[in-house]
Amino acid sequence: MEVAFLGSSSSGNSTLISSEDSMILIDAGLSSREMERRLEFLGYSSADIDAIVLTHEHSDHCKGAGIFARKFDIPVRANPPTFAMSPIGNVRFEEFITQEEFCIGNFRMMAFPIPHNAVEPVCFSITDGNHRIGFATDLGRITKLVNNVLFDKDLLIIEANHDEAMLRNGSYPEFLKKNISSSNGHLSNRQTALAVSELVTERTQGVFLVHLSEENNTPEKAEHEVKSIMARKLKSTKVRAAERYRVTEPVSLI
Ligand SMILES: [Zn+2]
Ligand SMILES: [Zn+2]
């Protein structure tokens, strides 16, 4: 399995997960044209995408889904409440039910509920039968269920949205600061670091930190906070923040 991030911030999220037989985008929050351009940059053709899979309906996750799906006749997969709330128009919709397994090509996937201010937001576990990936973005806290879903994966993809001090001292209005740091908002670097230290095992090849805030975080701060906790545990696991505004170099699981 190979993973590449087309973009990862509140200005647009989209993650490519591919294997020899199958290719999916998790979220499509960049413009269709930008996703096409970035896939091409990676050497992929947009027409080869098997499905767009949505985590939730916020526009930084589904803004480009409609145009992209119509242009390349690609199905959009989401749970019905998320699809109903997503402003993506008329597309080939294929539902999945949260907490029921579904398949796309040779990927087996399952969605699980996460706490976030959306209608039915989910995280995912994804496997090709060989490797296992845990994917969780936009969540206010790590529940017991999320902890179970993300534990012991080959690759862990998890939000590290903000540095707590930067958010506290930053220019956002008070209500927004409250929303972001609430249990239905976004994970801070500290929350993510504590979670990651519990979630990684000998199996875990890498951890990608995603959805870093533009105003309230830096890749250095996010990586540092997680690595400093990890250093006490598994030195061999690589930790890296995904690029916010451009393609992140793909990683292949071995
Ligand atoms: Zn988001
Ligand atoms: Zn969101």
Side-chain angles (χ1 to χ4, degrees), residues 56 58 60-61 116-118 137-138 185-186 211:
H56 65 300
H58 290 162
D60 57 316
H61 297 262
H116 187 56
N117 56 355
T137 187
D138 294 49
H186 293 275
H211 211 285

Side-chain angles (χ1 to χ4, degrees), residues 23-57:
M23 273 171 67
I24 59 168
L25 288 180
I26 298 188
D27 292 331
L30 302 157
S31 72
S32 176
R33 181 167 299 187
E34 199 51 38
M35 290 189 288
E36 288 168 49
R37 201 182 64 76
R38 295 185 191 194
L39 283 166
E40 203 170 293
F41 174 81
L42 287 166
Y44 293 111
S45 161
S46 300
D48 291 337
I49 301 289
D50 295 301
I52 294 169
V53 189
L54 298 181
T55 57
H56 65 300
E57 72 275 18

